[in-house]
Amino acid sequence: MSALPDRSVDAVADLADLVAWAEIAGVVDEAAADTTDRLLEGLRADWHAADADGRASLGRIVRHLTARRDALMSDGRKRPSANPVSLRDVLARLGATTLRPGQDSPILAALAGADSLVIMPTGSGKSLCFQAPAFASGGLTVVVSPLIALISDQYAKLTAAGLPVAMMASTQTADESRAALATIRAGTVRLVLCAPERFGQASFTEAVAANPVDLLAIDEAHCVAEWGHDFRPEYLRLAELRATLGARAVMALTATATPQVAAEISARLGLRDPVVMRTGFDRTNLSFDVIPLGGKGAVARKWDALLTGLHADGGTPAIVYCGTRGATDDVAKGLVDRGLSAVGYHAGMSADARNRAQDAFMSGRVDVIAATTAFGMGIDRADVRGVWHWSIPTSLEGYYQEAGRAGRDGLPGRAVMLAMRADLGRLIQFAKRDRTSAADVAALLRNLATEETGNGSFAVERDRWDDSRRLALAVAERIGAIELWPGRGGCVEGRLLVRSMDSEMDRAADDASRQAIDRAWSGYRAITGYVDARTCRRRTILDHFGDVAPGRAEGRCCDICDPLPDVAPAAATSPAVPGRARATTQAREPIDCVGDDGILFERLREWRRERADGNPAYTVCANRALQMIATQRPRDIDALTRIPGIGPVFTERHATSLLAFLGDTA
């Protein structure tokens, strides 16, 4: 979706500032009304000049602002709240000198009181979409996130910027929680960060509701659409919070929503005619590689490929994602034994051990962290250069979110999957575990009846929910057999709506179970389709997320478009392989560049260095391709593209220059 024109951004920001101040003062004077009318007239002109996407966003935003302006002029209601800050001042304090593509519409929608659905890839700046309007509006913004690490990280950064923010997290002491509640209740903060379970505490909900709530922001909103082992019951009651808190607008944010999941998010959260901001999913500064591994010696070649990449210039900092806790421990130890500074991170470690590992990596004291998926969501280390997957992940959505933690500073990053066919058995087991039946749901209802605390209510400790019971719980909620509430502490809470299932509910449960199974197998097919792809990996990812825009790699694209040099099993220390290694069972025959070919090869290396423009030389092409150019001396595009390693990205960016260079040397 196109960003709004700069003039629209300025005009809507000015208009939002006027309305926010008017709500504090309780009156719109004549001068302010005249200014508002002029701004609205300019926005209408922008609307006529915008494309279809821009018109849709701008139209909704202006309608909401106009309605608020008219309501203020008619009754002049005053809202008890802190004074707002100019949006420009807020952005400056947050260190945002410019807005990234896609940030403008959700920011302005929030200031206008309009709902929004924000679908932006990891590292594209989603958090600014709710942070900026939080401090530029007259009311309170409540941000719901399932990630304690993200809550703590954002709280630290906003506090350091001197902005009035509070957080509620299980890591706080009792005194810290009481102090945070007091500031929320008194209205001295403008943004509150919390986990969804926090609304199970009446004292917190009442403290928030004592304020005029301008925005309820729901981060990682795809959690409302999860099934099985990823099911987050506490997310299902968030739609009701709007009425409980009197929230003017709701913003749902996610990095991993396909069009189908986006529609489910909007429906389950009850978004009202939302402004939808779906930026392109392409992370143009990342390259994508799959290194297939199998047969005798596959594990050794796997280590060779990983170590070659990590030891290369710009190979670290890096994250190595592992499929199990045991693999995480093994990889972390293996990295240390092989001379790298590394730590491990997974949910089986103590909280203190996880915190120490996270802090060591985030502070730069270690170069590599080996981790399960428990690490990373919301982690904002901008200079991660590489994300490696030691095993095939369970979904393409999860893979892309994890891969997107590389290159968040905009500099080149890489995502590499070390794909062993042996991983497929584990993926099949994961897909099969998302299986339940009407009988399983009926058994769950009978079990919950024994836990009843009165009026059908139940509260069950979270650690008693294994994957099968969690899936049955998801199905029971979807067919209307139970309702779920935000749980307190470590509990899943709710109320039984039926105690036994009739034939209609049996059919509904079986249908829901089939949907869960189909969804699990669709995920399996998507990730294996990515691994087995014979066309551009970037294109495969974009197609999965419904992004029809052409992929535009800033450097090297992927191992399909720009093949990696082949490396023998023992080549991990070879200086000729600068960290773009495809592990194979044997190396190709070397190319001898002697005599005039050798002289040309050296001149081509100088040409390549100039074309790299300060980036690593291999981002233009590999040594082997350059050697073949020196020996074959192609004179046209057709001859050039027949050389292995010369893909469409190279052709688009460098072919004209190269052919001219070769012509001059003839």
Side-chain angles (χ1 to χ4, degrees), residues 138-154:
L140 182 67
T141 291
V142 180
V143 181
V144 179
S145 170
L147 309 165
I148 299 299
L150 176 58
I151 290 172
S152 300
D153 183 60
Q154 290 191 11

Side-chain angles (χ1 to χ4, degrees), residues 71-299:
L72 282 168
M73 293 185 72
S74 65
D75 60 22
R77 287 176 295 179
K78 185 174 181 180
R79 304 175 78 220
S81 180
N83 287 342
V85 181
S86 162
L87 178 61
R88 292 171 183 78
D89 290 343
V90 172
L91 292 173
R93 294 177 73 175
L94 291 173
T97 55
T98 59
L99 292 178
R100 298 185 192 178
Q103 289 178 325
D104 50 7
S105 288
I107 289 173
L108 299 176
L111 290 171
D115 288 359
S116 56
L117 175 59
V118 182
I119 306 168
M120 298 167 69
T122 299
S124 56
K126 291 189 297 299
S127 59
L128 190 71
C129 295
F130 54 75
Q131 289 175 353
F135 303 103
S137 69
L140 182 67
T141 291
V142 180
V143 181
V144 179
S145 170
L147 309 165
I148 299 299
L150 176 58
I151 290 172
S152 300
D153 183 60
Q154 290 191 11
Y155 175 77
K157 290 182 178 179
L158 294 172
T159 301
L163 293 165
V165 58
M167 79 169 183
M168 297 294 295
S170 58
T171 54
Q172 292 173 304
T173 65
D175 288 343
E176 288 172 335
S177 294
R178 281 192 293 270
L181 274 179
T183 60
I184 296 168
R185 189 177 295 107
T188 58
V189 296
R190 306 290 290 286
L191 184 145
V192 177
L193 297 155
C194 67
E197 295 89 346
R198 188 61 55 173
F199 289 98
Q201 298 178 351
S203 59
F204 174 72
T205 304
E206 291 166 0
V208 171
N211 299 267
V213 178
D214 274 349
L215 179 65
L216 173 61
I218 301 170
D219 205 3
E220 307 295 339
H222 56 275
C223 290
V224 304
E226 296 288 7
W227 289 74
H229 63 285
D230 293 322
F231 179 50
R232 298 295 297 248
E234 57 271 13
Y235 260 70
L236 297 179
R237 292 294 295 267
L238 293 180
E240 299 175 19
L241 281 178
R242 175 179 222 148
T244 302
L245 304 178
R248 172 177 283 155
V250 175
M251 179 187 293
L253 306 101
T254 181
T256 60
T258 61
Q260 296 78 13
V261 171
E264 185 171 354
I265 290 171
S266 185
R268 291 184 73 84
L269 292 178
L271 300 184
R272 304 170 183 171
D273 189 27
V275 172
V276 178
M277 175 46 64
R278 180 189 287 272
T279 63
F281 276 84
D282 195 2
R283 290 291 307 281
T284 58
N285 63 319
L286 300 187
S287 63
F288 298 91
D289 295 310
V290 174
I291 299 179
L293 296 154
K296 186 177 180 180
V299 174

Side-chain angles (χ1 to χ4, degrees), residues 310-620:
L310 295 179
H311 281 301
D313 289 341
T316 57
I319 303 171
V320 183
Y321 279 108
C322 307
T324 65
R325 297 175 183 179
T328 300
D329 291 334
D330 292 342
V331 170
K333 182 178 184 300
L335 290 171
V336 173
D337 290 345
R338 289 165 172 83
L340 284 109
S341 61
V343 291
Y345 183 107
H346 58 71
M349 298 164 58
S350 69
D352 286 344
R354 290 198 305 271
N355 289 338
R356 287 194 300 271
Q358 178 175 317
D359 182 65
F361 181 71
M362 296 298 290
S363 65
R365 296 198 305 275
V366 300
D367 296 327
V368 187
I369 186 165
T372 61
T373 56
F375 176 82
M377 289 181 69
I379 298 300
D380 188 17
R381 180 168 180 177
D383 65 342
V384 172
R385 299 272 62 88
V387 172
W388 295 73
H389 279 76
W390 183 254
S391 55
I392 301 174
T394 57
S395 72
L396 192 52
E397 290 93 337
Y399 172 70
Y400 196 49
Q401 185 173 53
E402 290 153 12
R405 288 167 196 140
R408 296 182 71 162
D409 54 6
L411 298 177
R414 60 183 308 205
V416 187
M417 188 188 301
L418 303 169
M420 295 186 70
R421 305 305 295 180
D423 292 337
L424 297 182
R426 177 179 56 87
L427 298 184
I428 290 171
Q429 289 302 314
F430 281 144
K432 286 181 176 179
R433 72 182 178 182
D434 284 353
R435 182 185 298 273
T436 191
S437 66
D440 295 326
V441 176
L444 173 73
L445 297 181
R446 290 193 298 272
N447 181 265
L448 291 177
T450 66
E451 306 276 354
E452 182 185 345
T453 58
N455 298 321
S457 301
F458 60 83
V460 182
E461 292 82 0
R462 189 176 301 278
D463 58 11
R464 291 172 55 189
W465 296 94
D466 58 18
D467 288 341
S468 60
R469 293 190 75 203
R470 188 174 287 269
L471 179 57
L473 189 76
V475 171
E477 187 277 333
R478 277 170 167 77
I479 67 174
I482 61 174
E483 66 177 7
L484 295 169
W485 307 332
R488 291 169 292 185
C491 289
V492 173
E493 298 186 45
R495 182 165 66 92
L496 284 166
L497 301 179
V498 299
R499 296 175 180 277
S500 60
M501 295 167 54
D502 56 22
S503 58
E504 184 176 348
M505 294 194 83
D506 283 344
R507 285 192 296 272
D510 285 334
D511 287 343
S513 177
R514 278 192 292 273
Q515 291 179 39
I517 295 168
D518 290 345
R519 189 162 176 164
W521 283 112
S522 293
Y524 172 83
R525 288 191 294 271
I527 193 63
T528 55
Y530 176 78
V531 171
D532 295 335
R534 294 295 177 264
T535 56
C536 175
R537 301 208 189 272
R538 186 182 305 273
R539 183 72 261 156
T540 300
I541 291 170
L542 297 181
D543 287 345
H544 180 76
F545 288 105
D547 186 345
V548 299
R552 299 190 181 278
E554 295 174 11
R556 190 174 157 276
C557 179
C558 68
D559 60 293
I560 301 295
C561 296
D562 300 290
L564 295 163
D566 285 352
V567 182
T573 58
S574 171
V577 184
R580 305 288 189 201
R582 175 188 292 276
T584 56
T585 55
Q586 66 182 67
R588 293 181 180 178
E589 289 298 317
I591 296 174
D592 291 328
C593 284
V594 297
D596 289 343
D597 290 348
I599 294 171
L600 179 56
F601 174 66
E602 292 303 321
R603 294 187 63 186
L604 283 168
R605 291 180 66 184
E606 291 296 324
W607 170 87
R608 180 178 63 175
R609 187 176 298 111
E610 292 178 3
R611 298 297 296 180
D613 193 26
N615 293 313
Y618 62 79
T619 61
V620 177

